[in-house]
Amino acid sequence: MATKSLKKLGNDLAQSNKQIEILSNGIFKTGELPTFKDKISETSQFPIKAKKLEILQINVGYMCNQVCDHCHVDAGPDRKEIMTRDTMRQCLEVIKNSGAHTLDLTGGAPEMNPDFRWFVEEAAKVGIKDFIVRSNLTIIRANKKYYDLPDFFKKHNVHVVSSMPHWTRGKTDKQRGDGVFDKSIKALQELNAVGYGMPDSDLRLDLVYNPSGAFLPGDQEAMEKDFKKALMEDFGIEFHNLFAITNLPIARFLDYLIASENYEDYMYSLVEAYNPSAVENVMCTNTLSISWDGYLFDCDFNQMLELPVNSKSRHVSDFNEELLEGRNIVISQHCYGCTAGAGSSCQGIVA
Ligand code: SF4
Ligand code: SF4
C-alpha cells in the first residue's frame, strides 16, 4: 500500500505529459487499437460538444488523509495544492451567476481544506438545488476536529457521496489502506444516526463503488442490491444509491496498470466494451471542473492531465458560460473509461 503520492516519490507518472505520452503511443500509435477520436468518429460523434452547464465540480485541493492505490488525483497527505479563500470567493460568484443546478465539491479530502466549512456555509446560502460533498468517510474519524462533520453536513443540507469500494474489509483495505473499512463503517453509522441515508430522508447518502483491480465494474443495479443487503445485515447501515465508477487509466491507476503489466489488457477491455450510446451523455457534456487554483477543465480527469478547456474562458476570474457552451471537449484515450459498458461518470452509469 502506497504511503506517498507519485509526485512526492518523484515518479515520472506524476507528470501529466508523461501520462499523455503513454496514452498516445504504444498500442494506439501502432493502430492495434483505435484512438478514442477515431472510435467516436465512426458514429459521427466527434467532436463531443458541451451542452448546457448543469454541474459545477470544484476540486478544493489534492490533500487527502488516504493514499489509495487507484487514485486518479494522486492525492495524499503530502499534496499541498489547496484552494485559497480568494479563489473560493471567485467560485462563489460563478455559482451565483451560472445556470448550474448542482455543486459538487471534491478533492483529495475536501474537508481538509482549512476554508472548507466557510466555503460550504457560503455556498449553501446560494440555494443551489443539489449540493454534493464527496467524502472519503475515514476523514470523519481521522481526527477529533472532524467528528462533528455529520452534523455539519446535515445543518447545510449537503448531499454526501462517499467512496466505499466493497462491503468486505479485505477488498476495501486492499484498495484504500489498512483500517479504512472499519473507519468507513463507523462513519456511515454516524451519518445514519443523524438521519443520512434513511429510506424517506431528504439527507442524501450515496456510495461510490470502483473496482479494486484491472477490471470493469459489474452491473450497477445488482451491485447496489448486494451492497444494501450486506451493509444492512452486517452493520445495520442504510444508504440511498450506489454509483459504479470505472477506473480511468491515469495517475496512480495508470501506474498500477503498468507495474502489474495490465495496461494493454485493460485498454483492450475498455475498447471492447465501448458503447457509442454512452458518448452522448459523458459527464463533460454538462459539467465543468474547477481546479484548486481556479482553472477550468472539462472534467476532473482532464484537470489531472492538465488538459484545459478549449475556450477563451479558462479561469473562474473570466468565467463566461456562453463562451463555454458548445465548446469542443478535449479528449484522449483515457476517455474510453467513460464510454465502456453502461458508461461511467461521477454520478455512476450514463447509458
Ligand atoms: S481516491 Fe479519494 S480517498 Fe483515496 S487518495 Fe484519492 S482522493 Fe483520497
Ligand atoms: S474523461 Fe473527461 S473529457 Fe473524457 S469523456 Fe470522460 S468526462 Fe469527457
Side-chain angles (χ1 to χ4, degrees):
M1 191 71 213
T3 53
K4 289 182 182 157
S5 67
L6 296 176
K7 187 169 183 188
K8 183 76 179 174
L9 291 168
N11 187 313
D12 269 4
L13 280 180
Q15 296 167 36
S16 56
N17 59 339
K18 293 283 176 203
Q19 297 178 50
I20 290 167
E21 210 178 293
I22 289 167
L23 290 165
S24 309
N25 289 311
I27 39 181
F28 293 102
K29 187 88 173 178
T30 60
E32 270 179 67
L33 286 177
T35 62
F36 188 70
K37 180 183 172 188
D38 287 347
K39 196 70 185 168
I40 62 174
S41 297
E42 285 172 13
T43 43
S44 309
Q45 288 170 295
F46 177 81
I48 300 175
K49 295 261 184 198
K51 302 177 205 162
K52 193 175 157 2
L53 177 64
E54 296 184 60
I55 304 170
L56 275 171
Q57 187 172 63
I58 303 182
N59 194 316
V60 297
Y62 303 158
M63 187 181 282
C64 190
N65 57 319
Q66 292 182 191
V67 194
C68 305
D69 280 347
H70 68 285
C71 185
H72 75 270
V73 179
D74 189 27
D78 55 57
R79 295 302 298 262
K80 306 294 179 225
E81 300 89 339
I82 285 288
M83 186 177 274
T84 62
R85 201 178 273 213
D86 279 348
T87 306
M88 287 176 175
R89 281 199 186 93
Q90 292 179 312
C91 289
L92 286 168
E93 285 309 304
V94 171
I95 299 161
K96 277 179 203 156
N97 297 318
S98 90
H101 55 65
T102 297
L103 174 62
D104 184 339
L105 298 192
T106 189
E111 302 93 332
M112 291 179 84
N113 183 309
D115 288 315
F116 169 76
R117 293 191 191 222
W118 176 83
F119 192 37
V120 169
E121 281 161 12
E122 294 301 312
K125 289 180 199 160
V126 179
I128 202 135
K129 203 167 132 209
D130 189 8
F131 186 178
I132 296 169
V133 171
R134 292 185 186 266
S135 175
N136 68 17
L137 292 174
T138 60
I139 192 72
I140 297 175
R141 300 302 310 161
N143 182 303
K144 267 188 195 158
K145 68 179 176 185
Y146 300 119
Y147 285 1
D148 67 330
L149 277 171
D151 286 315
F152 176 77
F153 290 147
K154 179 179 177 173
K155 185 172 169 204
H156 298 289
N157 199 21
V158 161
H159 170 178
V160 179
V161 177
S162 295
S163 336
M164 191 73 196
H166 207 258
W167 63 81
T168 59
R169 184 175 288 106
K171 285 197 174 165
T172 301
D173 286 1
K174 181 174 171 281
Q175 182 187 100
R176 298 176 79 79
D178 287 345
V180 165
F181 182 76
D182 290 341
K183 280 189 194 149
S184 302
I185 292 295
K186 182 94 176 70
L188 285 172
Q189 288 168 333
E190 287 173 358
L191 286 162
N192 277 172
V194 300
Y196 270 100
M198 294 299 150
D200 297 321
S201 173
D202 289 337
L203 295 168
R204 304 284 312 166
L205 173 61
D206 297 322
L207 301 187
V208 173
Y209 159 88
N210 65 292
S212 52
F215 54 93
L216 305 186
D219 177 68
Q220 179 170 278
E221 209 180 316
M223 271 193 297
E224 182 178 288
K225 281 192 188 129
D226 291 343
F227 264 78
K228 284 201 167 184
K229 189 168 179 286
L231 288 178
M232 174 47 74
E233 280 178 10
D234 296 348
F235 305 103
I237 287 171
E238 307 227 47
F239 67 95
H240 291 125
N241 294 113
L242 180 88
F243 304 147
I245 293 190
T246 302
N247 288 317
L248 263 66
I250 67 171
R252 285 213 288 272
F253 191 65
L254 180 59
D255 180 55
Y256 157 80
L257 288 174
I258 293 169
S260 61
E261 298 184 357
N262 275 306
Y263 170 69
E264 291 193 357
D265 286 349
Y266 190 70
M267 295 313 291
Y268 266 93
S269 61
L270 288 181
V271 176
E272 269 164 27
Y274 172 74
N275 175 2
S277 62
V279 177
E280 209 176 308
N281 295 318
V282 281
M283 68 179 169
C284 47
T285 56
N286 70 350
T287 303
L288 253 185
S289 156
I290 302 176
S291 62
W292 64 277
D293 50 357
Y295 286 91
L296 308 179
F297 298 86
D298 295 314
C299 67
D300 206 48
F301 306 113
N302 282 10
Q303 183 185 142
M304 300 315 148
L305 290 173
E306 296 180 281
L307 299 170
V309 279
N310 186 357
S311 168
K312 282 193 178 130
S313 172
R314 290 161 77 97
H315 190 266
V316 276
S317 56
D318 60 22
F319 183 84
N320 184 321
E321 197 166 346
E322 271 175 39
L323 273 182
L324 287 158
E325 192 169 328
R327 73 188 184 277
N328 291 346
I329 301 296
V330 181
I331 55 168
S332 182
Q333 279 49 266
H334 64 296
C335 298
Y336 273 118
C338 295
T339 57
S344 176
S345 77
C346 288
Q347 270 74 31
I349 61 173
V350 298

